Amino acid sequence: LEQLARQAQLNENTLKKGFKQEFGMTVFDYLLDHRLEQARQMLERETMQIAEVMGAVGLKNRSYFAAAFRKKFGQNPKQYQQQFSQN
């Protein structure tokens, strides 16, 4: 965040406020949402293990990942992956 603020020539608080005003979410919520979307796509099209998907999108805590995934997509990552492996 500090590096992004420097590149935009803003202080961090201004960047955070402007980002939330423009996108309706915090920078960190936006990043998590992006990571979860990437994970969803990987679970649909690849045969990676869930731990590998987590690592690929930059998340390390399995329970945090599962809870965030379930909140966004309505089911845990394993359930989501299984519906595509059966087709």
Side-chain angles (χ1 to χ4, degrees):
L1 191 58
E2 181 183 329
Q3 188 177 22
L4 183 59
R6 256 188 277 127
Q7 288 178 351
Q9 298 180 335
L10 300 169
N11 69 44
E12 284 185 50
N13 285 335
T14 302
L15 176 65
K16 287 191 273 188
K17 286 178 186 176
F19 192 95
K20 185 162 185 167
Q21 197 171 27
E22 189 66 29
F23 295 101
M25 63 177 71
T26 68
V27 173
F28 296 107
D29 287 342
Y30 181 86
L31 179 59
L32 176 60
D33 189 68
H34 179 72
R35 288 175 168 174
L36 291 172
E37 279 295 332
Q38 286 181 311
R40 179 189 61 79
Q41 291 173 9
M42 287 179 190
L43 291 172
E44 284 180 12
R45 70 175 186 259
E46 298 180 16
T47 58
M48 295 172 72
Q49 297 292 319
I50 292 172
E52 293 173 311
V53 170
M54 286 173 42
V57 300
L59 295 171
K60 295 179 182 169
N61 184 306
R62 190 176 184 106
S63 60
Y64 175 76
F65 173 68
F69 193 94
R70 186 170 33 265
K71 183 177 178 183
K72 180 164 178 64
F73 300 111
Q75 53 190 199
N76 70 41
K78 188 67 173 176
Q79 291 170 324
Y80 191 84
Q81 187 179 46
Q82 285 174 340
Q83 75 187 23
F84 290 94
S85 65
Q86 294 171 356
N87 292 335

